[in-house]
Amino acid sequence: MLSPLMYGKLYDHLLNVKNLKLVNDPDQYRNCHYLPASYDLIKDYTPFTISVPGSKFSMVDLSTILAPFGDRPIILKDFVKSEKHFWHTACFYPQASDLVKVRDTIENFNKLRDPEGGYVFREYVERSEERRVGKECRSRWSP
């Protein structure tokens, strides 16, 4: 996937050099690429989410950030995607209030990759078995 910065460069190059206009302008691309950019538009239809820009925060900050989740399970991702293939070590927390597990999960996530944009903490919602085995359909669009 292209970062919004790289997409903007591609968009400008194609428009200025080749006179080609991509369907989505750079702002629309960013809105669809970064979950926090579109969250206000979809929050009534998606699990509760808290986004934290950047990659540095203290355990005190983490406690405050995660307080609205209480003891509910949550997942970690960056502004673009998760590390779901490392579900138990770099993505899922059974209890948001277990700050040691959350800290360890963030550290494991950071070992796998640099977070793009920042971190996203999302309420975990159990999906049907059919969705978990890969029969999921995704659609991307912009207004």
Side-chain angles (χ1 to χ4, degrees):
M1 284 185 260
L2 292 175
S3 69
L5 177 65
M6 292 303 296
Y7 182 87
K9 290 179 180 183
L10 173 65
Y11 184 91
D12 290 342
H13 175 79
L14 291 174
L15 185 60
N16 296 325
V17 176
K18 305 267 186 186
N19 199 29
L20 296 173
K21 185 174 181 183
L22 297 174
V23 172
N24 295 317
D25 69 32
D27 288 335
Q28 292 168 325
Y29 180 82
R30 183 183 173 283
N31 187 52
C32 290
H33 191 64
Y34 282 170
L35 174 63
S38 60
Y39 183 68
D40 284 342
L41 298 171
I42 63 172
K43 67 183 174 187
D44 293 337
Y45 310 99
T46 194
F48 177 65
T49 300
I50 295 175
S51 304
V52 182
S55 61
K56 303 286 185 211
F57 46 85
S58 70
M59 288 301 282
V60 173
D61 294 336
L62 192 58
S63 176
T64 302
I65 291 164
L66 298 181
F69 292 104
D71 287 334
R72 292 178 291 183
I74 59 174
I75 62 167
L76 168 70
K77 60 188 283 0
D78 66 15
F79 281 21
V80 179
K81 63 183 186 175
S82 68
E83 285 295 336
K84 65 185 174 192
H85 301 293
F86 298 93
W87 184 253
H88 292 289
T89 58
C91 185
F92 177 74
Y93 324 113
Q95 289 185 306
S97 59
D98 184 351
L99 297 181
V100 173
K101 168 71 172 158
V102 172
R103 184 201 63 221
D104 291 347
T105 304
I106 292 169
E107 288 175 3
N108 289 334
F109 183 95
N110 290 341
K111 288 175 187 173
L112 294 168
R113 59 190 259 212
D114 293 328
E116 185 172 336
Y119 298 100
V120 174
F121 300 95
R122 302 195 83 192
E123 180 180 10
Y124 173 72
V125 176
E126 186 72 31
R127 293 183 174 177
S128 69
E129 185 63 29
E130 181 176 276
R131 288 197 59 162
R132 270 189 261 129
V133 296
K135 295 181 180 175
E136 178 176 325
C137 178
R138 295 184 182 197
S139 175
R140 296 196 186 259
W141 58 274
S142 64

